[in-house]
Amino acid sequence: MKTMFLTALLLSLSSGLLLADQETDERLKNAATAFEEIMSAPDKGIPGGVLDKAECVVVVPGMKKAGFIVGGSFGRGAISCRGKDKASWGAPAMVELGGGSVGFQIGASATDVVMLVMNRSGIESLLKSKFTLGGDASVAGGPVGRSSTAETDAAMKAKILSYSRSRGAFAGVSLTGMTLNQDEGANKAVYGKQLDSEQILGGAVTTPAGAKPLMQVLTKYSPKGI
């Protein structure tokens, strides 16, 4: 009887781990798809000159509304940072984004969110277990379009530039007041052990197979930073 119980427990744990792995792989795949669709839209997307200056990229695909009368949103995504030589993108850490409504996306059922972390100070804020956009790190809507340049007031001053896309519309949008948290459970599912964002983004781990589509699309549109 005891053996049967232990066997059932092990099977249950294995099943739970498998589902967690599938969920995080799906999240990374959706993040890659969302970023590809945003960047490949004709005369839209994030300007290459702005993306090349970014130290890290956060992608939260399909962020959902959390309320009806009182606006709120919640989503899960991933963040990847450039290596020290700025010639490659590192293994991603898993994150959660939540808080007030996402800018102009009123009535949207799902919104893709992208954030560019523009400097090391912004990265240090991201390594906290939880921080508020606009409080711990300045955030502003980023410039949009192939012809836009990085030399805008927002790009020059903000630690983080933010964008959102819903129902085909894509624009820079402020996420001030929202919170970004480490998703420790998802990190464990991806890497098979407990790791925090500082360890992952510091380059101490190998990029897992499930994250390769996201790394490929980031490299496609910004193979090397400035």
Side-chain angles (χ1 to χ4, degrees):
M1 191 73 176
K2 184 177 180 180
T3 301
M4 291 177 63
F5 173 77
L6 289 174
T7 300
L9 179 61
L10 289 172
L11 287 173
S12 177
L13 291 173
S14 297
S15 177
L17 290 173
L18 179 60
L19 288 174
D21 288 345
Q22 291 174 342
E23 181 181 333
T24 52
D25 283 351
E26 187 69 17
R27 187 199 302 191
L28 289 164
K29 179 182 177 182
N30 290 341
T33 299
F35 194 78
E36 172 70 44
E37 291 177 352
I38 285 169
M39 295 302 297
S40 62
D43 300 320
K44 300 289 184 181
I46 300 167
V50 177
L51 180 58
D52 289 342
K53 289 188 175 184
E55 295 282 354
C56 304
V57 175
V58 181
V59 185
V60 181
M63 191 167 181
K64 300 292 194 300
K65 289 199 302 181
F68 177 66
I69 297 175
V70 178
S73 302
F74 179 79
R76 293 185 172 95
I79 173 175
S80 174
C81 295
R82 297 185 191 275
K84 292 182 180 179
D85 60 359
K86 296 192 177 183
S88 61
W89 291 94
M94 311 302 279
V95 296
E96 297 176 336
L97 180 65
S101 297
V102 184
F104 70 94
Q105 307 292 358
I106 298 172
S109 59
T111 302
D112 297 324
V113 173
V114 174
M115 289 180 280
L116 306 184
V117 184
M118 304 307 294
N119 54 47
R120 286 290 165 184
S121 178
I123 294 173
E124 290 170 1
S125 295
L126 281 171
L127 295 179
K128 296 180 181 179
S129 60
K130 174 181 178 179
F131 80 96
T132 302
L133 296 168
D136 298 306
S138 58
V139 59
V144 174
R146 300 286 179 257
S147 60
S148 296
T149 72
E151 306 304 321
T152 64
D153 287 342
M156 293 296 288
K157 296 177 181 178
K159 294 179 181 179
I160 298 174
L161 299 179
S162 52
Y163 300 85
S164 67
R165 182 189 68 154
S166 183
R167 296 179 177 175
F170 178 72
V173 63
S174 177
L175 302 179
T176 297
M178 302 194 77
T179 58
L180 187 68
N181 310 319
Q182 297 187 49
D183 191 342
E184 295 178 352
N187 281 335
K188 186 174 182 179
V190 172
Y191 296 100
K193 58 183 177 179
Q194 200 69 51
L195 294 169
D196 61 28
S197 294
E198 185 171 6
Q199 292 172 300
I200 298 168
L201 300 179
V205 298
T206 302
T207 300
K212 288 184 178 179
L214 180 58
M215 301 302 96
Q216 289 170 352
V217 73
L218 289 174
T219 300
K220 175 180 177 180
Y221 290 101
S222 187
K224 190 172 183 178
I226 296 175

